[in-house]
Amino acid sequence: MEKLYEQICAAVREAGTIVLQATAEGKNVREKTSRHDLVTAYDARVQRFLQERLLALLPEAGFLGEEDGGRLESASAWRFIVDPIDGTMNFIRTLRRSCISVGLAQGERMEFGAVYDPYHDELFTAVRGAGAFLNGAPIHVSDCDMAHALVYIGSSPYYPDCIPQTFALAQKLTETCSDIRRSGSAALELCDVACGRVEAYFEYRLSPWDYAAGSLIVTEAGGKISALNGEALRFDQKCSVAAANALCHAPLLQMAEQAQQQTSQN
Ligand code: LIP
């Protein structure tokens, strides 16, 4: 399998050059479900490129990609779960905070993950049971406690119904941790947790392609990840995400429960 993983990384890096060579004229931005949920011609182009390259490597696998045409069912338990450009709004605005995220699952278990930030040439990878890496060097979550933690908040911009609990939890975190941040790429926020740049990240609603690869990178780096109610992540449907180092995961879930009770009383 090591050769396969190396070939997946080569494909992900090549997809990164499509992002770096993008032109404003070529983006052809259009709305998907709302003015918050946009897509470009490059999202579709990167997805087509990856679907062709990855299925050539593992022809029996299924494929689940974010963009139209990215659904391919298979009798095999192997499935690629792909976000061709995670952080599409950032890409549209040239904020240089987007990535390509490729997860490889066997059934409901992630076996391999690769997240590539082409702007900083940072390739995060993880193989189940074999650790997590940044450009080949081992990475590990921090050992910082919540009082001194930096925490990413995800604002679930495609889902206005998530606003009350998102900002109730963000307020509790702001009162408890060192500070909060919002970056707009779930996969990169998970990788920042994995390499100890920040201590935790949450978002009330994401799709499997946002977190499939990053979830394995977090756990293989010694972190913990679940839904905000503590249940296991789902890779067959949308769910919330709570990722953190070993010291901050339980406090994050406790604050989420308090925020849920608070918003249900309002
Ligand atoms: C985005 C996530 C981000 C979330 C957005 C969106 P996309 O992924 O990375 O964290 O807040 O709603 O899901 O759509 O840019 O691939």
Side-chain angles (χ1 to χ4, degrees):
M1 294 297 278
E2 188 172 339
K3 177 71 175 170
L4 170 64
Y5 298 151
E6 288 172 1
Q7 291 170 314
I8 294 172
C9 289
V12 164
R13 281 188 175 279
E14 203 169 327
T17 64
I18 299 173
V19 170
L20 291 179
Q21 293 168 1
T23 64
E25 304 71 37
K27 288 180 181 176
N28 301 326
V29 179
R30 63 181 177 80
E31 283 189 14
K32 290 200 303 189
T33 59
S34 74
R35 61 188 165 84
H36 310 282
D37 185 4
L38 305 178
V39 65
T40 75
Y42 289 104
D43 294 82
R45 182 173 158 195
V46 170
Q47 180 171 282
R48 286 194 304 272
F49 168 81
L50 287 172
Q51 190 162 352
E52 182 180 331
R53 282 287 294 273
L54 297 175
L55 293 181
L57 297 174
L58 195 62
E60 68 270 25
F63 191 94
L64 173 61
E66 177 174 7
E67 309 310 341
D68 291 347
R71 306 298 192 274
L72 176 67
E73 298 296 331
S74 166
S76 165
W78 290 102
R79 180 169 53 130
F80 288 106
I81 305 175
V82 175
D83 193 336
I85 301 179
D86 182 58
T88 294
M89 182 66 87
N90 290 345
F91 171 66
I92 291 167
R93 300 301 192 92
T94 61
L95 285 173
R96 302 171 65 83
R97 177 71 179 179
S98 306
C99 63
I100 293 99
S101 179
V102 172
L104 179 59
Q106 189 171 32
E108 285 306 301
R109 195 171 77 165
M110 296 310 303
E111 293 295 336
F112 175 75
V115 173
Y116 182 51
D117 171 354
Y119 300 105
H120 302 91
D121 192 25
E122 289 192 330
L123 176 62
F124 296 88
T125 57
V127 177
R128 173 178 288 281
F133 301 86
L134 167 53
N135 292 346
I139 57 176
H140 201 273
V141 294
S142 78
D143 57 4
C144 182
D145 64 9
M146 184 58 90
H148 302 88
L150 201 54
V151 180
Y152 275 126
I153 66 167
S155 56
S156 302
Y158 307 164
Y159 313 104
D161 61 303
C162 292
I163 292 174
Q165 60 263 46
T166 294
F167 289 93
L169 180 48
Q171 178 171 343
K172 287 187 178 298
L173 284 162
T174 307
E175 293 162 352
T176 307
C177 73
S178 178
D179 201 356
I180 59 173
R181 293 284 187 277
R182 163 62 172 163
S183 90
S185 168
L188 286 179
E189 285 155 347
L190 289 168
C191 290
D192 280 345
V193 171
C195 67
R197 290 170 178 165
V198 303
E199 280 62 55
Y201 159 68
F202 80 90
E203 190 142 9
Y204 269 91
R205 194 167 305 146
L206 286 170
S207 295
W209 44 76
D210 294 315
Y211 53 80
S215 64
L216 185 64
I217 294 167
V218 166
T219 54
E220 287 297 324
K224 296 186 175 184
I225 192 166
S226 68
L228 276 160
N229 62 7
E231 291 178 1
L233 285 184
R234 298 289 299 267
F235 298 103
D236 58 347
Q237 65 183 48
K238 297 181 190 323
C239 75
S240 61
V241 172
N245 69 13
L247 288 176
C248 294
H249 190 252
L252 175 58
L253 297 189
Q254 287 158 3
M255 283 186 266
E257 185 177 1
Q258 293 161 2
Q260 189 72 29
Q261 289 166 0
Q262 177 184 319
T263 50
S264 59
Q265 289 163 3
N266 291 346

